[in-house]
Amino acid sequence: MRTHMCGEIGTSDIGQTVTVCGWVAKRREHGDKLAFVDLRDYSGIVQCVIDNAVDVRSEYVVKITGVVRPRPEGTVNVNLSTGEVEIGECLVEVLRSAEPPPFPVDARADDVDENVRLQYRYIDIRRERMQKNLRTRAKVNSAVRTAMESQGFVEVETPMLVPSTPEGAREFLVPSRKEPGSFYALPQSPQLFKQLLMVAGIDRYYQIARCLRDEDLRADRQYEFMQLDAEMSFVNQVDVLAAISAAVIAAAESVTGVKPDPIQQITWREAMERFGVDKPDLRFGMELTELTAIFSSTEFKAFAGAESIKGIRVEGKAEEFGRNKLDALTDRAKKMGAKGLVWLKVTTDGTLESPVVKFLSADEQSQLISTLQAKAGDLLLIVADKWSMTCEVLGTLRNDLGRPPVHQGPYRYVWVTEFPLFVGVDKETGQPKPGHHPFCQPHPDDLDKFESDPMSVRSLAYDLVLNGWELGSGSIRIHEPEMQRRVFTALGISEDEANRKFGFFLKPFTYGAPPHGGFAFGLDRLVAILAGEENIREVIAFPKTQSGQDPMTNAPTRAENKQLDELGIRVLPPKV
RNA sequence: GGUCUCGUGGUGAAGUUGGAGUUCACGCCGGCCUGUCAAGCCGGAGGUCGCGGGUUCGAGUCCCGUCGGGACCGCCA
């Protein structure tokens, strides 16, 4: 039907007769003897010159045949990739007329209410931005597949209708027609199946897998999302990180054209100490500075005897933060559970100004300034509390005060390793809770502390972080039933309970499970950042709104009684 | 479940101490126009100010409720 794409026509085509198809982006009439039509397809826009009267309007679908020619002197459009040429002597065939679009099909629609864009997503996607984003996504998928396959990974598809599992995220349930009252779940991840594929001797599995979680939506979370899911046999952590790094680096290079440096690693402990969070954003400084030793014999009650005292230096912000803003920061700290937040301002003569400065000795003040490398005009924020609280509060404030939008360069990838095996304590049972999931291999150097000090045991679990966004996580798994029992015991799970909850998963491991480990990372998040978007909806063709609805299809919709009868389901009246 | 925020012709905005659905830009329809390019000029149509109450002589504006969008917290082993 066509010989060229609109955006690809250039000076090398001059003199050729071409046929292009697309949508009318703009029509400019000059009497009934001359009109310009900008024709758009996914590749771009080309100007067609029409010498007779043709009724074409915005978004009409047309086929235009004509001759490529250079534009007359002085009429070159430098804003257009095809701006040096135009198609003349045009024969126009209207393939389909169209209603005027509800919003401009160009960059101006970036300002349109997102709900309206989603309602007319098929028009929104005609826009350059969405075309680019979806094609970026396809590039990432393709690069990831190539990278995985070149490393010997085998793509295996796992089921979408799976048993409901007791732990983890809330699941979507699918009623069984053959067995009314029973339900499938949609998979939160292919976790179980991929580990069983290792028992099954697949050796290296990968899948670009759709995962579903019925948890509240966010800028970086949808009900359904895509993950690169992978698992490897006969490997250690170094092997897994290398394999996944290769895929991520290939994906990034395919989009940006620049091969990222090897991905750096830090331990979870170091991430918490320096950045206060387990998904550190390495694009900016303002690191947490250790101050505990300075106040080891302080008279200041709020600092005396604190397990951990840390501070951050907010460069040059002393002036900007008046009483209201400082109170808001203090409130934020208290809401997170901190006892308080101490702020100090460095004045122009280098002294400290703060309600608490009178409680600090001259020596403490000077050490504070030198340790934090504070300069005139800086705002200093200090928290004294339990180590985890100090880190968490300052880490949050650091992000609040310094973090650039996620898509703003440079791209800073980082592996965070050695996550704690257990995190916190279950309020009801008093037992430790798994940091990642109960099948993570404990760190071999910490096995002697397993019973005596379980909370200090590290695991062979790791996260991949990009610009403060968690891209994904993984671990070396437990493949020995004895070790699994030890972890279950620490978690307060009896053998009976373990068999009941995880039996279908544990039994296969008695038939010869190889040592194995794996990883999964969210493709939507990676694509969003690489595409320069701060919202994954912008890189998903048909996303849901924050309330889980699709404004285009109106999903979810009510089920017919006939369907419900067949499934043996009755809907309760709405709660008053 | 919670906090904050937004809702005004098709789209984006403005709307003052409460005083007539007022305004601006784009789009749309009609006319003019032979080198424009998110064209220009002239004219026109188009809105139950998300919805429901309340206060008031009078509500886009104030109050209460509700629905919808967004950001965040909880949640996401």
Side-chain angles (χ1 to χ4, degrees), chain A residues 184-395:
Chain A
Y184 302 96
L186 300 177
Q188 310 165 35
S189 83
Q191 185 69 32
L192 309 174
F193 293 98
K194 69 172 173 178
Q195 288 193 244
L196 299 188
L197 286 171
M198 296 303 100
V199 179
I202 288 291
D203 202 89
R204 290 188 169 201
Y205 142 92
Y206 89 99
Q207 181 181 195
I208 292 183
R210 188 174 298 273
C211 304
L212 298 107
R213 294 179 188 171
D214 188 5
E215 299 290 352
D216 286 0
L217 284 58
R218 286 277 206 292
D220 61 350
R221 274 158 41 183
Q222 283 272 305
Y223 282 151
E224 36 186 326
F225 56 98
M226 302 304 290
Q227 293 210 304
L228 168 67
D229 192 54
E231 196 76 11
M232 312 163 75
S233 291
F234 307 110
V235 291
N236 54 33
Q237 179 172 310
V238 173
D239 301 317
V240 179
L241 300 197
I244 301 298
S245 294
V248 171
I249 286 172
E253 188 181 5
S254 76
V255 174
T256 63
V258 179
K259 187 171 180 174
D261 294 332
I263 299 176
Q264 69 180 100
Q265 286 184 35
I266 67 173
T267 64
W268 175 86
R269 181 85 198 182
E270 187 185 348
M272 296 303 291
E273 291 280 8
R274 290 173 55 197
F275 305 100
V277 289
D278 60 8
K279 41 183 178 184
D281 189 335
L282 269 40
R283 289 174 299 166
F284 66 107
M286 215 194 286
E287 289 191 23
L288 279 56
T289 304
E290 179 56 45
L291 303 170
T292 316
I294 297 175
F295 300 102
S296 55
S297 55
T298 187
E299 299 287 311
F300 183 33
K301 280 184 188 155
F303 286 181
E307 179 183 295
S308 168
I309 303 174
K310 283 173 179 287
I312 55 175
R313 179 175 76 96
V314 193
E315 196 175 348
K317 293 286 185 182
E319 193 113 343
E320 190 180 309
F321 277 76
R323 204 52 200 240
N324 283 348
K325 279 191 165 182
L326 291 166
D327 285 350
L329 288 182
T330 307
D331 278 354
R332 182 114 163 97
K334 283 183 175 168
K335 272 189 185 146
M336 280 185 278
K339 292 187 201 74
L341 175 72
V342 168
W343 58 264
L344 307 99
K345 292 178 178 179
V346 187
T347 60
T348 43
D349 58 8
T351 59
L352 290 171
E353 176 193 319
S354 165
V356 306
V357 77
K358 57 180 174 280
F359 303 115
L360 305 178
S361 70
D363 187 44
E364 287 168 349
Q365 289 185 40
S366 70
Q367 280 199 59
L368 189 59
I369 290 173
S370 64
T371 308
L372 279 166
Q373 298 181 315
K375 295 182 184 62
D378 290 349
L379 172 67
L380 311 178
L381 300 173
I382 300 175
V383 173
D385 216 302
K386 284 192 179 311
W387 177 79
S388 57
M389 180 63 67
T390 299
C391 295
E392 188 192 331
V393 170
L394 285 174

Side-chain angles (χ1 to χ4, degrees), chain A residues 36-56:
Chain A
F36 300 97
V37 166
D38 288 344
L39 194 66
R40 181 191 62 239
D41 60 27
Y42 73 81
S43 67
I45 284 175
V46 67
Q47 172 167 285
C48 306
V49 185
I50 310 211
D51 299 313
N52 48 9
V54 184
D55 186 24
V56 290

